[in-house]
Amino acid sequence: TQLLEQSPQFLSIQEGENLTVYCNSSSVFSSLQWYRQEPGEGPVLLVTVVTGGEVKKLKRLTFQFGDARKDSSLHITAAQPGDTGLYLCAGGHNNNDMRFGAGTRLTVKP
Amino acid sequence: DTGVSQNPRHKITKRGQNVTFRCDPISEHNRLYWYRQTLGQGPEFLTYFQNEAQLEKSRLLSDRFSAERPKGSFSTLEIQRTEQGDSAMYLCASSLEAGAYEQYFGPGTRLTVT
């Protein structure tokens, strides 16, 4: 059972479209991370959010942490084939403990 | 620094054999983590070290699994008497204690038990 629920599980879109993926939990997190993972490789850290309501932008990616620090969203504008991958969220409750969601597998078709 | 490295990248073994994986963390990172990832799932926490001390172990880490970090630098993960259910990607990550949530992952070791 995943502590963090990610939705959708799979998403296939055309190049140029916008998309949003979600990460939800019943738990409050001290911080939340988003990673992107390509097949056969380890996850690569994209962003860390720590403050409720925080919004961070990374080029075409916008990350938001919920006010209650239980959920987060990742919005991609004008998706490109290079955005294809598994997007994972991970939440921490204290300085020792981090748990991952099952991920959203994104495919961007040219 | 070239990041976290793991060896081997792939390992195929027969059921019942022992296997050992190695992880070299980012040099200044004092925390090192091991995760297991199966198809369609996110990484599952196995254990972590702060320097040479193993501070937490998941219930997923059965007595066939053992991890060491003898000098506080590289770490090894050994699986004894492998079972087909052990087939997975084994990921290592490292971080600074102060930024423990910002973990940097290696490329993983893919284990296949036949």
Side-chain angles (χ1 to χ4, degrees), chain A residues 72-83:
Chain A
S72 181
S73 63
L74 160 59
H75 181 80
I76 301 179
T77 303
Q80 299 176 359
D83 296 327

Side-chain angles (χ1 to χ4, degrees), chain B residues 32 42 60 78 81 93 107:
Chain B
L32 186 150
L60 292 174
E78 181 184 16
R81 305 181 304 280

Side-chain angles (χ1 to χ4, degrees), chain A residues 2 9 30-31 33 35 37 40-43 45 48 86 88 91-103, chain B residues 9 31 33 35 37 40-45 48 50 56 89 91 97-108 110:
Chain A
Q2 298 286 156
Q9 188 176 359
S30 303
S31 71
Q33 285 70 38
Y35 290 80
Q37 185 177 24
E41 299 295 329
L45 180 66
T48 297
L86 178 68
L88 294 159
H93 293 96
N94 52 49
N95 211 26
N96 304 324
D97 186 12
M98 188 165 81
R99 298 294 181 260
F100 281 82
Chain B
R9 293 292 309 272
R31 287 201 172 184
Y33 307 80
Y35 292 85
Q37 186 177 24
Q41 297 296 319
E44 296 175 296
F45 171 78
Y48 92 94
Q50 182 161 311
E56 187 177 347
M89 174 79 91
L91 293 163
E97 179 181 355
Y101 295 131
E102 298 200 338
Q103 298 181 13
Y104 295 85
F105 282 81
R110 179 163 295 284

Side-chain angles (χ1 to χ4, degrees), chain A residues 46-100:
Chain A
L46 296 175
V47 78
T48 297
V49 285
V50 296
T51 304
E54 183 177 2
V55 176
K56 281 192 174 179
K57 292 192 175 184
L58 185 67
K59 297 183 180 178
R60 294 177 294 101
L61 279 59
T62 302
F63 305 85
Q64 185 162 8
F65 201 13
D67 291 341
R69 306 206 317 274
K70 293 182 178 181
D71 53 84
S72 181
S73 63
L74 160 59
H75 181 80
I76 301 179
T77 303
Q80 299 176 359
D83 296 327
T84 293
L86 178 68
Y87 288 83
L88 294 159
C89 67
H93 293 96
N94 52 49
N95 211 26
N96 304 324
D97 186 12
M98 188 165 81
R99 298 294 181 260
F100 281 82

Side-chain angles (χ1 to χ4, degrees), chain B residues 52-73:
Chain B
E52 65 276 7
Q54 188 173 17
L55 296 187
E56 187 177 347
K57 292 196 292 185
S58 163
R59 284 175 291 179
L60 292 174
L61 210 66
S62 76
D63 57 5
R64 297 184 298 105
F65 288 68
S66 62
E68 294 182 344
R69 195 184 184 197
K71 298 181 180 178
S73 56

